[in-house]
Amino acid sequence: MAEKLEIQSVSKHYSIGQNRLDVLSNININVESGHFLSIVGPSGCGKSTLLRLIVGLDDQYDGSILLNGTRIGGTSLARGIVFQDHRLLPWLTLEGNIGLSLENSGWSRQDRALAVESHIELVGLTGFEKNYPHQLSGGMAQRAAIARALVGKPEILLLDEPLGALDALTRLRLQDELLRIWRAQATTMILVTHDVDEAIFLSNEILVMSAKPGRIASRIAVDLDYPRDRASHEFADLKRRVLSDMDFSSNRSEAA
Amino acid sequence: MNSISTAIEVAETPVILAPRRSWRFPKTANLIGLILPLAIFALWQTAATFAWIEPVFLPAPAKVARAFWQMLTKQDLAFDFLASVTIVGQSLLYGGLAGVGLGIAAGLSGRVERFFGPTLDTIRHIPGIAWLPLIVLWLGIGAPAKILVISKSVFFPIFLNTLQGIRNVEKHHIELAKVLTLTRWQMVRKVILPSALPNILVSLRYAAGLAWALVVVAEGLSGMQGLGFLIFRAQGLLLTDQLMVCMVVIGLVGFGIDRLMFAIQRGLLRWKQGYEG
C-alpha cells in the first residue's frame, strides 16, 4: 500500500452562534499514487475546504486523512498546493519565489539552485528568473505558482481552481501544460475546478460533489486515452454525465 | 486532435517592462520644478530692488549671498551646520532603531503591544518641545538633551507605521508561509518584514524631515550652537541677511534629506509596482 491518500469519513462543520453549518459530510476517498483526481461541484460544496484539510491548513475536522497510512498533521513539503490566485510574493523574483519552497527541504544550496532552474524550465519560464511578479502576465504567474508547488517534489499536488482566474486561451494552454507535467513527474494530483471540460481533459477520475452539506454525489471514471480530444463523442458523453450529476439538465450541456 | 490548443501556442506573450532607471529625474520634470523657485527668487529680487520692504527686514539676494560667504569663512557656519546634522543623524538612528524594533515586536506579539500600548500612547501626546525643559535640566543644554527629545519625536511615527505595516500583511501570504512550512523566523524575514517595508520607509522619510525641523526649534530654545541657534541670534541682532542664510540652508538641506530618503525608498522597493504620475 505505497503512497496512497485515504480520506476516511471526514466531516467538517462551522458553528456560527447557535447554528451549525455542515460543510463536509462523511467524505470517503482513496487516491492511488500517481492518479489525477478532479473534484467538481457547485459553489459551497466544500471542495476547496477539503483541499485545505488535505494540505494541512485546517485540522478542525472529524474523521481521518492518511497519507501512506500516516495521519497528516499540519502542512508538509510532501503536499504542495496551487491556489486560484498565484500568491507569489511581490518582493521576491521568480527564482526567489520558487526557491522559498525549498527553505526547509534540507537540500544543499547547489541542489536547490538546480531544482529551481529545472522547474522554471518545466513550466516554460526560462529567461524570466530575475523578474518580479508584477512583470509577469497572469498565465506566467500561475505557471510560476505551479513550479513553486512542484519544486520540492511533493507526493501530492493539490490544485485549487488554479486556472479559474485566467482567460480562456491561456487556460486551455495551461491545461496542456498540466497534463504534460503530470505525465512527466508522475505526481498524484487532486484538482478542484468548476470547469467540467478541464476535469474530463485531465483526470483519471472525477468526483462530483453536491452542497449543503458537502458530500460526494458520484464518482465517474474517465477511461479515455491521453491526450484527449475535447470534441470527441466520448468526451461529450462524459460531459453530459458529469453535468447531469451536477443537477444540470442534459440538453443545456451541449451549449455550455 | 487537440486543434484548439495547438492553434493557441502563441497566445500567451510575455509582458516585460522596461528596466527601471534607478535614479529617474526626467529633464522636463526638472525644469517644471524650477519654475516656481525662480519666480519666488525674481519676486524677492524685485522687492529688494524697489525697496518695497525696508532693507533691514528684507535684504537683497546678493547681500544674503555675501553674508553666506562671510559666515562660512569668517564665522563657524560649517561647524554649526555640522552640529545640527549630527544631532539629526543620531536622533534618527536611535529613534529609528527603537521605533522599528519595538514596532516589529509589538506587531508580532499582541502581548507586547498591550504591555507598551497605554504608556506609549500617553507619552506620545506630550510634545517633544514640552519634554525639552525637563530634559535640559537633567542633561544640560548640550547635544544629548536635543538628541533625546528628537529621538522621542521621530520614534512614534516610525513605531506606529512599522506596527501598522505588520498588521497589514496579507493573510494569504501568511497562509502561503504555512504551506511552505516556513518557521516563524523565516516567515518574519521573508514575508512579514518585506511586506511591512513600504510603510516603514515612508515613516523614515517623514521622520527625517521631522527631525530636521525639530533640531532648529530645539537649538533655538536652548544651547549655543547649530543652525537654530544662529537663526534666533540673528533675529535678536537684527542681522536679517544671516537669518535668511540660515533659512535657505535649512530649506535646501531639508530638500536634500527628502530626496535622499526617496532614492533609498525607490531602490529598496524596486519590486513594487506603483503609480508614478
Side-chain angles (χ1 to χ4, degrees), chain A residues 75 91 104 135 173 176, chain B residues 5 9 12 15 178 181 190:
Chain A
T75 55
W91 46 85
N104 297 320
Q135 296 168 312
R173 174 133 196 226
D176 283 343
Chain B
S5 51
E9 285 298 305
E12 210 194 342
V15 198
K178 280 187 193 151
T181 68
K190 301 276 184 173

Side-chain angles (χ1 to χ4, degrees), chain A residues 2-4 31-37 78 119 122 150 153-157 177-190 204:
Chain A
E3 287 198 15
K4 187 177 172 185
V31 189
E32 298 292 336
S33 173
H35 267 229
F36 200 130
L37 175 77
H119 280 82
L122 179 74
L150 280 172
K153 304 238 176 293
E155 292 169 35
I156 298 184
L157 181 64
E177 295 257 336
L178 267 180
L179 193 60
R180 179 177 63 76
I181 290 166
W182 172 59
R183 298 175 84 188
Q185 309 265 309
T187 309
T188 310
M189 297 213 181
I190 302 178
N204 303 117

Side-chain angles (χ1 to χ4, degrees), chain A residues 70-229:
Chain A
T70 323
R71 197 187 156 99
I72 61 146
T75 55
S76 149
L77 291 178
R79 281 163 280 129
I81 188 166
V82 180
F83 300 99
Q84 183 171 3
D85 56 313
H86 57 74
R87 244 173 252 203
L88 298 175
L89 299 177
W91 46 85
L92 294 181
T93 59
L94 176 63
E95 271 182 338
N97 267 291
I98 296 175
L100 196 61
S101 263
L102 301 176
E103 277 294 299
N104 297 320
S105 60
W107 302 358
S108 73
R109 187 172 287 272
Q110 201 185 358
D111 286 349
R112 285 193 230 174
L114 278 176
V116 168
E117 193 190 321
S118 69
H119 280 82
I120 288 175
E121 195 187 325
L122 179 74
V123 296
L125 288 178
T126 305
F128 296 96
E129 290 84 355
K130 307 286 182 204
N131 283 58
Y132 286 103
H134 79 260
Q135 296 168 312
L136 303 174
S137 69
M140 292 165 81
Q142 206 52 269
R143 287 157 190 261
I146 293 168
R148 177 178 61 195
L150 280 172
V151 72
K153 304 238 176 293
E155 292 169 35
I156 298 184
L157 181 64
L158 305 164
L159 301 149
D160 189 1
E161 297 185 45
L163 312 182
L166 302 176
D167 66 87
L169 291 180
T170 310
R171 193 173 174 134
L172 288 179
R173 174 133 196 226
L174 279 187
Q175 287 171 7
D176 283 343
E177 295 257 336
L178 267 180
L179 193 60
R180 179 177 63 76
I181 290 166
W182 172 59
R183 298 175 84 188
Q185 309 265 309
T187 309
T188 310
M189 297 213 181
I190 302 178
L191 168 74
V192 158
T193 181
H194 275 114
D195 182 342
V196 176
D197 280 56
E198 184 171 291
I200 300 171
F201 184 72
L202 292 170
S203 38
N204 303 117
E205 190 179 11
I206 299 175
L207 282 181
V208 180
M209 289 184 69
S210 56
K212 288 174 196 165
R215 60 193 184 281
I216 297 171
S218 69
R219 285 162 191 245
I220 298 165
V222 186
D223 292 325
L224 308 178
D225 290 334
Y226 291 102
R228 291 165 179 166
D229 179 2

